[in-house]
């Protein structure tokens, strides 16, 4: 499996999709199944709509997409992709959905309400990862100096006082309401969980292997289920990050 830049898990079916340098793969079972044509997916995010995803990166051999692809969208669970905006201009290495908006980073932090026109944020930090939710205006960004938090779809930002320095972050997707739980993973594999949309954090455990992407779903026991794409394969925790096991069935 090539380097992973994004991971998404359906909260109902727990189908696992991973975005890699070679395209999109279904990692639900032990044998990976390629879903898309070869596209270098540097940024990837699910939306609130079934089977609809946004991505960014570079086209593969024989592709008609521009290089870089800018913002692209799939409406068939990642099988095919259509160019939306900034083709030949932007390669978003961080990308997320926040309410009815998009937040993305291509060297400049940008926001868009329609995926077509973009507004530059006044923020000067460079996020390694962005985390938002289709049902919330709160966005989290990981930086080398610590977490940044926005409550208005990424327009304005404030540092999270006393928050951990994490490399990866994700909101735990609930069934329908806005999420309150978030998950963060530090460069050393330490796992942190927030129950107040990223304002305060508690250490819960450690994951082995080099983490490349993370996603989470709200668990039925009050603890998030966490999936992490690592150099050891996709791992899952069903106890809020206290323990992990291979995710493939």
């Amino acid at each position: 499996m090539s380097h992973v830049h994004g991971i998404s898990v359906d909260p109902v079916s727990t189908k696992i999709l991973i975005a890699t340098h070679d395209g999109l793969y279904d990692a639900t079972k032990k044998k990976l199944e390629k879903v898309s044509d070869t596209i270098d997916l540097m940024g990837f995010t699910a939306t609130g709509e079934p089977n609809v995803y946004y991505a960014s990166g570079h086209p593969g051999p024989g592709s008609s997409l521009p290089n870089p692809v800018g913002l692209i969208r799939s409406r068939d669970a990642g099988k095919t992709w259509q160019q939306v905006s900034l083709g030949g201009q932007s390669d978003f290495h961080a990308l997320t959905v926040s309410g009815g908006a998009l937040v993305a980073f291509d060297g400049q932090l940008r926001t868009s309400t329609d995926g077509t026109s973009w507004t530059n944020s006044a923020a000067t930090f460079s996020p390694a990862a962005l985390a938002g939710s289709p049902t919330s205006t709160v966005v989290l960004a990981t930086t080398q100096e610590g977490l940044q938090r926005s409550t208005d779809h990424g327009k304005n930002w404030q540092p999270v006082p006393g928050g951990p320095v994490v490399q990866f972050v994700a909101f735990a997707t609930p069934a329908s309401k806005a999420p309150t739980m978030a998950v963060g993973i530090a460069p050393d594999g330490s796992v942190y969980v927030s129950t107040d949309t990223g304002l305060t954090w508690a250490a819960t455990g450690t994951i082995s292997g080099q983490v490349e992407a993370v996603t989470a779903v709200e668990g039925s026991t009050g603890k998030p289920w966490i999936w992490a794409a690592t150099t050891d394969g996709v791992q899952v925790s069903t106890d809020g990050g206290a323990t992990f096991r291979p995710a493939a069935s």
Side-chain angles (χ1 to χ4, degrees), residues 198-223:
L199 289 171
T200 60
W201 296 80
T204 58
T206 303
I207 185 171
S208 62
Q210 182 179 336
V211 176
E212 298 178 339
V214 66
T215 191
V217 170
E218 187 177 274
S220 58
T221 62
K223 296 181 179 180

Side-chain angles (χ1 to χ4, degrees), residues 106-160:
D106 62 353
Q108 169 68 54
L109 197 61
R110 307 175 190 267
T111 62
S112 175
T113 58
D114 58 7
T116 302
S117 59
W118 294 84
T119 301
N120 292 350
S121 169
T124 57
F125 59 83
S126 297
L130 293 166
S133 166
T135 55
S136 174
T137 63
V138 178
V139 187
L140 299 174
T142 67
T143 78
Q144 292 182 337
E145 291 74 36
L147 279 163
Q148 293 275 341
R149 185 174 182 271
S150 170
T151 59
D152 56 5
H153 307 292
K155 295 177 183 177
N156 299 286
W157 297 84
Q158 294 291 332
V160 177

Side-chain angles (χ1 to χ4, degrees), residues 183 185 189-193 203-208 223-228 234-247:
V183 173
I185 300 182
S190 297
V191 180
Y192 297 86
V193 171
T204 58
T206 303
I207 185 171
S208 62
K223 296 181 179 180
W225 286 35
I226 305 165
W227 286 261
V234 179
Q235 301 183 51
V236 64
S237 172
T238 57
D239 54 14
T243 61
F244 284 84
R245 59 174 173 79

Side-chain angles (χ1 to χ4, degrees), residues 22-245:
D22 300 319
L24 192 65
Y25 286 82
D26 185 336
T28 309
K29 301 185 181 298
K30 291 181 180 179
K31 184 178 180 180
L32 292 176
E33 179 182 349
K34 195 169 186 178
V35 175
S36 72
D37 291 336
T38 299
I39 307 176
D40 184 0
L41 297 171
M42 299 299 294
F44 176 76
T45 185
T47 71
E49 302 176 68
N51 299 323
V52 178
Y53 300 92
Y54 285 103
S56 190
H58 303 275
S63 174
S64 61
L65 292 169
N67 187 19
V69 300
L71 181 72
I72 54 178
R73 178 175 55 216
S74 173
R75 296 186 182 276
D76 55 9
K79 295 177 184 178
T80 61
W81 295 86
Q82 294 76 44
Q83 214 275 320
V84 180
S85 65
L86 299 179
Q89 301 178 54
S90 290
D91 173 15
F92 293 120
H93 282 214
L95 177 66
T96 193
V97 171
S98 173
L102 286 160
V103 187
F105 180 75
D106 62 353
Q108 169 68 54
L109 197 61
R110 307 175 190 267
T111 62
S112 175
T113 58
D114 58 7
T116 302
S117 59
W118 294 84
T119 301
N120 292 350
S121 169
T124 57
F125 59 83
S126 297
L130 293 166
S133 166
T135 55
S136 174
T137 63
V138 178
V139 187
L140 299 174
T142 67
T143 78
Q144 292 182 337
E145 291 74 36
L147 279 163
Q148 293 275 341
R149 185 174 182 271
S150 170
T151 59
D152 56 5
H153 307 292
K155 295 177 183 177
N156 299 286
W157 297 84
Q158 294 291 332
V160 177
V165 177
V166 294
Q167 186 175 5
F168 302 96
V169 67
F171 279 106
T173 305
S176 58
K177 60 181 189 241
T180 57
M181 287 190 290
V183 173
I185 300 182
D188 65 358
S190 297
V191 180
Y192 297 86
V193 171
S194 170
T195 58
D196 55 9
T197 63
L199 289 171
T200 60
W201 296 80
T204 58
T206 303
I207 185 171
S208 62
Q210 182 179 336
V211 176
E212 298 178 339
V214 66
T215 191
V217 170
E218 187 177 274
S220 58
T221 62
K223 296 181 179 180
W225 286 35
I226 305 165
W227 286 261
T230 77
T231 49
D232 296 333
V234 179
Q235 301 183 51
V236 64
S237 172
T238 57
D239 54 14
T243 61
F244 284 84
R245 59 174 173 79

